[in-house]
Amino acid sequence: MGSTLQQRLAVLNSAPHKQAIVGIKHGIERETLRVKADGKLALTPHAKQLGAALTHPWITTDFSESLLEFITPASDNIDTTLAQLADIHRFAINNIDDEQFWAGSMPCFIKEQTQIPFAQYGSSNVGQMKTLYRKGLHNRYGSLMQAISGVHFNFSFPKVFWQHYQQQLEQSGELQNFISSQYLSLIRNYKRYVWLIVYLFGASPAMCKSFLEGRSSRYNFAELGKGTVYLPYATSLRMSDLGYTNSAQSSLNITYNNLEEYIAGLHSAISMPSEEYRNIGVKVDGEYQQLNANVLQIENEFYSTIRPKRTTESGERPTCALAKRGVEYIEVRALDVNPFSPIGISAEQMYFLDVFLLYCLLQDSPELSAAEQAITEQNLKKVVTDGRRNNLEIMQNGQPRLMLDWAEELFADMMPVAHYLDSAHNVNDYSAALKQFYLCLLDPAHTLSGQVLNQLLAKQQDNGHFMLQLSAQYKQQLSQESYQFYSEQQFIEAATQSLAQQYQIEQQDDVSFEQYISQYFAEVPECDNKKSATE
């Protein structure tokens, strides 16, 4: 363990500071496709009983009407977050008739991507813009890529921790400036070590062959059953260049060395014309095809494994919120859906992520050059496709190193962090989670991807059939269990209120859609000229 990490932990573990870490907040966003009993995509509209996808606080849609997204509010208790997520699943599964939730990240059998319906958000300007953005994604990348599901892990340290930590590092100045800087420091180390998260929690080594139809692939896939392809050592095909990828983004120089650079990089991409996307056209024969013809239509189109975030106000752009008020929390985006959990993530994963993210904060985090950032992305790609290969090497400090040796070192360094969290919370959950996932280093079969592939190979079973069995099992399990945090009546009231809120938004529009789009994009130069919260 490095001296810096050791010293910082020693101070945090002392009596005046130990309790400051208590109050870490989490929120989960889980995506899942609605499928029919035969495993094919459900093409029915978003159920009215679930409320309005535009305004519901917990139940919305992602790219497609068929792709649900469940969102928990921020909570400082992991058990509470999981109970909330389970209740959201429970209410939704009981209100989609005979449909069920797909248990994995990679899509079910989809004959043609044209059958994937764009998510609809009503007739308001903001609702139309959300749908048009998705139409633009379809025209740029195709809809199959957008049918992939993941889990996003939102995470923030308590304010009192930041106050103690700023004092410990003997830094003066505005607290929010310090917080933003430290979250960017955490993010740089996360980029260096994210391959470990994908090794442990990647859960998509196989997929339906229909996903490849009409697409070129440089991978030498093996085949299984009637319709499955897989890579023997893959961890997360969702994270491969078959999944969330954008070749036009490879030339973007979006860095994480400070918040101003990060925002400027995104703003540049939003305003940078793309010849490829210009050929699509923005408005063709009077009908919009995309929001604009730039490399990114909006900030959300930037595919990153982690994002610094700030809660936005109505109509406010994410980067403008960051520029005005600084970083509030981070969003971890490298998690596959855990197919062995009915809600897509487990408590043990959350405890591990707390340890990992605190480690990323406390460890030395020098600036990340463009060259080094490219190496972190190459390391990630190797682990995505070959993570469970024996003697796999990735790059560390310009030299090849055995991935498992590096992973062993990270686990050894993280154990004191886990003990500190255990001591502060008077539990042993953090160190127990670390010990559980350490088994994945001793035997790759313990990783989520290893478990999935071993089951498929042992039974010579198609990935689709396996995921469908899990989907049916979870439908029965969720529908039979009782609510843990919310009540059914609370969901009914939230749905009713969300429909009323959408109607109100639609009635309040006082400009045309064209004017609304123009005003929305005009905010970027405006917020560039406003004093940043981090200056």
Side-chain angles (χ1 to χ4, degrees):
M1 180 168 63
S3 59
T4 301
L5 177 62
Q6 196 169 11
Q7 291 166 6
R8 289 176 179 176
L9 267 179
V11 174
L12 288 173
N13 226 348
S14 62
H17 303 289
K18 179 180 286 189
Q19 293 302 308
I21 195 66
V22 176
I24 291 173
K25 286 191 174 181
H26 315 88
I28 303 295
E29 302 169 27
R30 189 265 165 106
E31 301 160 352
T32 180
L33 283 170
R34 288 187 291 111
V35 299
K36 297 185 290 187
D38 61 2
K40 293 181 181 178
L41 190 67
L43 301 178
T44 49
H46 185 66
K48 190 173 182 179
Q49 301 94 302
L50 301 182
L54 179 68
T55 50
H56 199 292
W58 311 316
I59 302 173
T60 184
T61 50
D62 194 79
F63 171 77
S64 171
E65 281 288 271
S66 309
L67 184 56
L68 288 167
E69 183 175 357
F70 302 141
I71 304 168
T72 68
S75 168
D76 61 5
N77 184 289
I78 286 176
D79 289 339
T80 296
T81 294
L82 293 172
Q84 291 170 332
L85 188 59
D87 283 351
I88 296 168
H89 278 72
R90 187 165 295 111
F91 179 77
I93 202 71
N94 289 330
N95 285 277
I96 57 171
D97 297 328
D98 60 346
E99 297 169 1
Q100 48 204 18
F101 306 142
W102 192 244
S105 279
M106 297 305 285
C108 56
F109 176 78
I110 298 175
K111 187 173 183 181
E112 292 183 7
Q113 60 177 316
T114 52
Q115 72 178 166
I116 303 173
F118 304 142
Q120 301 295 317
Y121 299 96
S123 61
S124 67
N125 286 328
V126 64
Q128 290 185 70
M129 180 176 171
K130 288 170 74 73
T131 298
L132 176 56
Y133 167 60
R134 285 151 175 78
K135 185 176 183 180
L137 294 176
H138 163 78
N139 288 330
R140 292 172 175 221
Y141 320 115
S143 291
L144 273 177
M145 170 181 152
Q146 306 301 326
I148 298 170
S149 302
V151 172
H152 298 167
F153 181 80
N154 297 319
F155 174 98
S156 66
F157 292 104
K159 184 177 181 180
V160 66
F161 169 81
W162 288 122
Q163 293 168 336
H164 282 257
Y165 195 52
Q166 184 180 26
Q167 176 188 342
Q168 178 183 338
L169 297 190
E170 299 180 342
Q171 293 195 19
S172 58
E174 291 290 332
L175 179 62
Q176 181 56 60
N177 298 349
F178 175 77
I179 291 171
S180 294
S181 173
Q182 291 300 310
Y183 272 129
L184 269 291
S185 178
L186 182 162
I187 286 171
R188 291 194 298 275
N189 276 337
Y190 172 94
K191 299 284 283 187
R192 292 178 172 108
Y193 310 136
V194 65
W195 54 264
L196 179 62
I197 297 299
V198 174
Y199 172 76
L200 298 173
F201 302 145
S204 51
M207 63 185 181
C208 180
K209 194 186 298 184
S210 68
F211 190 81
L212 289 176
E213 288 184 12
R215 309 177 76 195
S216 59
S217 170
R218 60 184 178 85
Y219 301 115
N220 186 22
F221 283 107
E223 297 195 11
L224 177 67
K226 294 181 179 179
T228 293
V229 294
Y230 70 97
L231 294 177
Y233 306 107
T235 58
S236 175
L237 294 178
R238 165 182 169 267
M239 295 287 291
S240 73
D241 56 14
L242 285 169
Y244 282 104
T245 182
N246 179 349
S247 58
Q249 293 184 17
S250 60
S251 61
L252 297 179
N253 186 26
I254 295 176
T255 64
Y256 301 87
N257 294 324
N258 60 67
L259 187 57
E260 291 78 12
E261 279 187 19
Y262 174 76
I263 292 171
L266 273 178
H267 282 183
S268 174
I270 294 163
S271 56
M272 183 187 300
S274 163
E275 183 68 21
E276 179 184 357
Y277 302 149
R278 188 178 67 83
N279 292 333
I280 295 171
V282 175
K283 207 171 187 181
V284 179
D285 296 330
E287 186 174 343
Y288 276 106
Q289 299 301 316
Q290 53 186 338
L291 287 171
N292 55 55
N294 297 331
V295 174
L296 302 181
Q297 297 176 90
I298 56 175
E299 295 93 329
N300 288 351
E301 196 172 336
F302 178 55
Y303 301 124
S304 175
T305 57
I306 189 168
R307 288 176 180 166
K309 301 276 284 198
R310 163 64 65 172
T311 304
T312 56
E313 298 171 355
S314 178
E316 185 179 37
R317 304 195 60 151
T319 46
C320 290
L322 284 172
K324 294 171 188 173
R325 300 186 296 282
V327 182
E328 179 184 8
Y329 65 98
I330 54 172
E331 178 188 38
V332 171
R333 299 166 52 81
L335 297 173
D336 280 4
V337 173
N338 180 347
F340 302 106
S341 164
I343 57 175
I345 191 171
S346 69
E348 293 77 15
Q349 286 178 283
M350 293 181 68
Y351 284 116
F352 179 90
L353 287 168
D354 277 5
V355 175
F356 179 79
L357 294 172
L358 180 56
Y359 170 75
C360 287
L361 175 72
L362 300 180
Q363 183 75 305
D364 274 333
S365 183
E367 289 196 351
L368 200 58
S369 68
E372 188 185 355
Q373 189 160 306
I375 290 171
T376 68
E377 290 164 2
Q378 291 164 13
N379 285 345
L380 178 59
K381 287 179 181 178
K382 276 191 172 183
V383 176
V384 158
T385 56
D386 282 298
R388 287 179 289 105
R389 184 185 295 276
N390 192 30
N391 295 327
L392 177 68
E393 290 185 335
I394 55 178
M395 298 298 292
Q396 182 188 22
N397 299 326
Q399 300 294 324
R401 183 173 185 186
L402 287 174
M403 185 207 76
L404 287 177
D405 282 356
W406 193 357
E408 289 261 8
E409 180 182 300
L410 289 174
F411 266 79
D413 283 352
M414 284 191 291
M415 188 53 80
V417 179
H419 287 316
Y420 160 59
L421 287 166
D422 280 341
S423 178
H425 292 86
N426 196 29
V427 297
N428 64 1
D429 297 313
Y430 298 95
S431 55
L434 217 60
K435 290 173 184 174
Q436 174 182 329
F437 294 119
Y438 180 73
L439 296 176
C440 298
L441 306 189
L442 302 178
D443 183 358
H446 287 287
T447 63
L448 294 185
S449 59
Q451 293 179 56
V452 169
L453 197 55
N454 286 346
Q455 291 212 33
L456 299 183
L457 293 173
K459 299 178 181 178
Q460 287 295 294
Q461 185 179 27
D462 276 305
N463 183 64
H465 291 146
F466 175 59
M467 292 299 169
L468 185 59
Q469 287 174 359
L470 291 176
S471 301
Q473 174 188 323
Y474 296 151
K475 178 182 175 72
Q476 183 177 19
Q477 179 180 335
L478 288 164
S479 60
Q480 290 178 349
E481 291 174 347
S482 301
Y483 287 96
Q484 304 171 51
F485 183 89
Y486 298 113
S487 67
E488 184 176 21
Q489 186 58 35
Q490 282 177 284
F491 282 106
I492 293 171
E493 290 172 359
T496 302
Q497 185 176 1
S498 71
L499 291 165
Q501 287 173 332
Q502 176 176 315
Y503 177 78
Q504 185 177 21
I505 291 170
E506 290 169 349
Q507 299 308 303
Q508 289 175 342
D509 276 345
D510 56 2
V511 297
S512 68
F513 183 59
E514 287 78 6
Q515 288 174 296
Y516 178 83
I517 295 291
S518 177
Q519 290 172 5
Y520 182 85
F521 286 109
E523 190 191 7
V524 169
E526 285 180 13
C527 74
D528 278 340
N529 292 329
K530 293 187 178 179
K531 181 175 175 61
S532 169
T534 59
E535 288 178 354

